[in-house]
Amino acid sequence: MQPFVSACGDESPWIRRFTTNSDTQHSMSDGEEQLDRLQQAELTRTTCMSHWRAGAVQAWMEVVMGMPMYIRACSENVKSGKVLLSLTDEDLELGLGIGNQIHRRKVRLAIEDYRRAEGEQGLSKASELDHHWVSTSWLSDVGLPQYSQTFQTNLVDGRVLNSLSRRDLERFLNICDHFHQTSLLLAIQLLQMLSFDKEALQLRRLKCEHENRDPLVWTCHRVMKWIKDIDLKEFAENLQGKGIHGAVMALDQSFDTEALANALGIPSNKHMLHRHLYEEMKSLSAPLSNTEQGSEVISSSSPVAVNRFADERSSIRRLGKSPLRLRAESHSVERGLGFHGNCGSLPREARVHAVPRAKGSPMHTFKSVEITNV
């Protein structure tokens, strides 16, 4: 059976998964039923939720949301999109049997996204980040692939990512390591700064794949490549599973030469290696040369060469809040980007002074139904 292709000519990722994972030995009736389900699912991309009939609702739950375990209860209880729009958190738990709180949050956030889309705003970019991408590609880029199964089990997609707090990570995803929590929250903050535009993120990463620039968007793998490039390749593999990526290096004010050296496993008595790492981090954060394009020049108050950060920061300020949900003692995006001091054995005059930290944003919690700007 040929996979269903939308009118715009692009085959949806969830359609590829649905057809790829299906048993190839279907009867004709099975194939027709599958094609109808895919067509109904594609219809949900172009039709307001309030206009959906029962078949579209079921296709949305199974194919688009990737939640086939709830399809039976959905088919028995939800006969239209209007009913879907009116469901409460209690309805989802008792009527559809969705006991997992993250699963319920995923459905509620999706419904609210569709509700806003009916106001001609369109679905958010976060809606394009399905839980398969989050649990595999995104966690690998963050450098924490050990949590892949947890994210997969909880069906964490882009919308859910945008709602997570430090408390959520510990309570629902069983991520207790404080630094791992910070690493994930900063990776989410990077997505928020780019409005969850996966293509824009990938484009920026491609531009700096072979140049030591724009470290904010570096993946864990790109950081490891840089470590090898600065002749510390014997330590590079130690970053596996540590959650060290570009957003941590640029946005976490407590992350300095000593922190990176510890993550790499460089012994504290290797003073010359520490000095070498310090000098390389300083070079990485040096302002771009005058020959670079004007749009690439970064203010001297921000030592890391991060493209377009000023615009991104202004955009965040216009929202009236910091998107990173950390405890009050954690780090806010409102401070300047940069690598920070505390270089261990380095002489006082060689140390970099940290940029003053802005007041951190309080932790947000998710009570019943929480809708955030996606």
Side-chain angles (χ1 to χ4, degrees):
M1 184 192 74
Q2 293 296 322
F4 182 80
V5 179
S6 66
C8 63
D10 296 325
E11 182 187 333
S12 302
W14 39 264
I15 287 182
R16 287 198 300 270
R17 289 198 313 274
F18 190 80
T19 55
T20 299
N21 295 336
S22 297
D23 186 354
T24 57
Q25 301 299 322
H26 288 293
S27 67
M28 182 61 70
S29 59
D30 289 339
E32 290 173 350
E33 181 180 353
Q34 184 187 43
L35 178 58
D36 179 66
R37 185 60 54 84
L38 293 176
Q39 290 173 330
Q40 291 280 0
E42 187 68 12
L43 185 65
T44 65
R45 300 177 64 195
T46 57
T47 306
C48 293
M49 181 176 278
S50 58
H51 297 162
W52 294 0
R53 307 307 301 170
V57 173
Q58 295 165 26
W60 177 75
M61 181 66 74
E62 180 179 3
V63 183
V64 181
M65 297 296 287
M67 307 174 82
M69 65 286 289
Y70 305 117
I71 188 64
R72 181 175 180 179
C74 183
S75 64
E76 292 175 352
N77 295 285
V78 184
K79 300 299 184 179
S80 71
K82 290 181 180 178
V83 173
L84 193 60
L85 285 168
S86 68
L87 294 181
T88 65
D89 207 52
E90 184 177 11
D91 293 331
L92 293 174
E93 182 176 9
L94 300 180
L96 298 187
I98 306 178
N100 184 297
Q101 293 192 50
I102 296 296
H103 288 188
R104 289 203 304 273
R105 183 187 302 193
K106 175 177 180 174
V107 175
R108 288 295 299 138
L109 290 172
I111 291 173
E112 288 305 318
D113 199 7
Y114 277 88
R115 193 193 307 278
R116 288 192 296 269
E118 294 204 14
E120 299 184 354
Q121 298 181 24
L123 290 175
S124 65
K125 281 288 186 180
S127 68
E128 300 175 13
L129 310 183
D130 60 51
H131 64 265
H132 295 283
W133 180 82
V134 170
S135 62
T136 54
S137 297
W138 184 75
L139 280 177
S140 177
D141 290 343
V142 171
L144 294 171
Q146 62 267 38
Y147 298 116
S148 178
Q149 186 57 54
T150 297
F151 274 67
Q152 181 73 22
T153 300
N154 286 278
L155 306 178
V156 177
D157 62 1
R159 297 187 188 99
V160 174
L161 274 184
N162 195 35
S163 75
L164 291 177
S165 67
R166 189 180 292 275
R167 181 171 176 266
D168 292 332
L169 293 173
E170 184 168 352
R171 180 181 178 186
F172 300 123
L173 301 178
N174 198 32
I175 300 175
C176 301
D177 186 285
H178 189 273
F179 181 77
H180 289 180
Q181 295 171 1
T182 299
S183 173
L184 290 165
L185 290 170
L186 289 172
I188 293 170
Q189 181 175 332
L190 174 60
L191 289 174
Q192 292 168 330
M193 292 169 70
L194 296 174
S195 301
F196 284 80
D197 191 330
K198 182 170 59 173
E199 287 71 26
L201 176 61
Q202 184 60 26
L203 180 60
R204 282 179 64 168
R205 285 174 171 170
L206 286 174
K207 289 181 177 179
C208 62
E209 181 62 27
H210 303 291
E211 297 182 43
N212 292 332
R213 55 194 294 272
D214 204 4
L216 175 65
V217 300
W218 284 10
T219 65
C220 175
H221 313 293
R222 180 63 180 87
V223 173
M224 292 170 65
K225 178 181 181 298
W226 174 69
I227 292 297
K228 293 175 182 177
D229 290 343
I230 62 174
D231 299 312
L232 292 173
K233 60 182 180 181
E234 64 270 32
F235 300 103
E237 295 302 320
N238 292 339
L239 291 185
Q240 292 280 7
K242 297 290 183 63
I244 307 295
H245 52 89
V248 168
M249 296 173 68
L251 297 176
D252 186 351
Q253 189 158 349
S254 68
F255 192 86
D256 52 21
T257 305
E258 184 176 357
L260 181 55
N262 287 338
L264 289 169
I266 299 177
S268 58
N269 62 343
K270 297 288 186 179
H271 305 305
M272 292 186 180
L273 291 185
H274 280 258
R275 179 182 293 275
H276 171 68
L277 183 60
Y278 165 75
E279 294 294 342
E280 292 296 336
M281 289 183 72
K282 185 170 68 172
S283 297
L284 182 61
S285 65
L288 296 176
S289 67
N290 294 330
T291 59
E292 297 285 351
Q293 296 180 359
S295 62
E296 304 290 334
V297 176
I298 306 301
S299 169
S300 59
S301 64
S302 178
V304 179
V306 181
N307 302 336
R308 298 183 297 280
F309 174 72
D311 292 338
E312 292 160 349
R313 182 171 56 184
S314 298
S315 175
I316 290 173
R317 284 174 173 170
R318 284 196 295 271
L319 293 176
K321 66 178 182 178
S322 169
L324 179 59
R325 294 161 173 79
L326 295 175
R327 284 198 290 258
E329 69 267 23
S330 299
H331 321 303
S332 170
V333 70
E334 290 300 317
R335 60 173 176 75
L337 296 184
F339 301 125
H340 312 286
N342 189 21
C343 298
S345 60
L346 297 177
R348 174 187 291 270
E349 60 273 14
R351 299 181 183 180
V352 178
H353 295 288
V355 179
R357 184 188 314 176
K359 184 178 180 181
S361 58
M363 173 192 287
H364 296 267
T365 58
F366 188 96
K367 297 181 180 179
S368 183
V369 177
E370 175 189 20
I371 307 301
T372 60
N373 290 330
V374 181

